[in-house]
Amino acid sequence: MDRGLPDGNTRISLTNGEETYIWYGYDQDAEVAVLPAGEFSADVEQSIPTYEDILDLPVEDISLADYRPLDTLTCIYVETVADEAGYSTRYWVSVENGLLVQAERLLGENAVYRMTSLYVDQTEYDASRFTLPDGTVLLDDGGTESMVPIN
């Protein structure tokens, strides 16, 4: 995952399920931090909620649920009650594919976070998108993760 940072740098993260590799910028000499994968996912790294977050909500935390249009999609809409700090969250899940397509975090009536991903891009990327600065590429070979250098 490539994540643009406020200072203009790019944080790049790759995982093979066991380890997570993190570095900054696209320089081949970039220093790579190797950490246990743990709970790492692109969603967590980008602070993107998922439909599983809705499923994990206690029923008493849901203030509203119905169907609503969003752009050209029909969605299941869920809104939470405000927590102790005054934050509530709104979720839109596509009825077509079951994916979360929009979420908003509100403080009172003001949106402090919003993510939108209305359409799924199913482009297959070549191995270079999963390459560490030293030329090592992380490949998925049918369920078992492996590291294969490309030279």
Side-chain angles (χ1 to χ4, degrees), residues 12 42 124 136:
I12 302 159
E124 283 195 35
T136 302

Side-chain angles (χ1 to χ4, degrees), residues 19-20 25 33 38 48 59 63 70 72 75 87 93 100 106 118 137 143:
E19 295 177 314
T20 297
I48 295 176
V59 173
S63 63
L70 180 66
T72 61
C75 295
Y87 290 94
V93 176
L100 182 79
L106 305 170
L118 298 176
V137 66

Side-chain angles (χ1 to χ4, degrees), residues 4-45:
L5 302 174
D7 66 3
N9 282 326
T10 301
R11 175 182 160 132
I12 302 159
S13 306
L14 289 175
T15 188
N16 64 5
E18 295 177 16
E19 295 177 314
T20 297
Y21 306 84
I22 300 172
W23 68 96
Y24 295 86
Y26 297 101
D27 183 10
Q28 289 188 350
D29 297 324
E31 186 175 326
V32 178
V34 182
L35 309 164
E39 297 296 317
F40 175 87
S41 73
D43 295 328
V44 171
E45 179 73 5

Side-chain angles (χ1 to χ4, degrees), residues 104-137:
E104 294 179 332
R105 183 95 163 132
L106 305 170
L107 179 56
E109 293 298 316
N110 298 314
V112 295
Y113 171 85
R114 178 177 294 125
M115 66 72 59
T116 303
S117 181
L118 298 176
Y119 305 100
V120 178
D121 178 2
Q122 296 182 341
T123 304
E124 283 195 35
Y125 294 102
D126 62 38
S128 68
R129 297 282 298 189
F130 304 96
T131 304
L132 300 176
D134 70 359
T136 302
V137 66

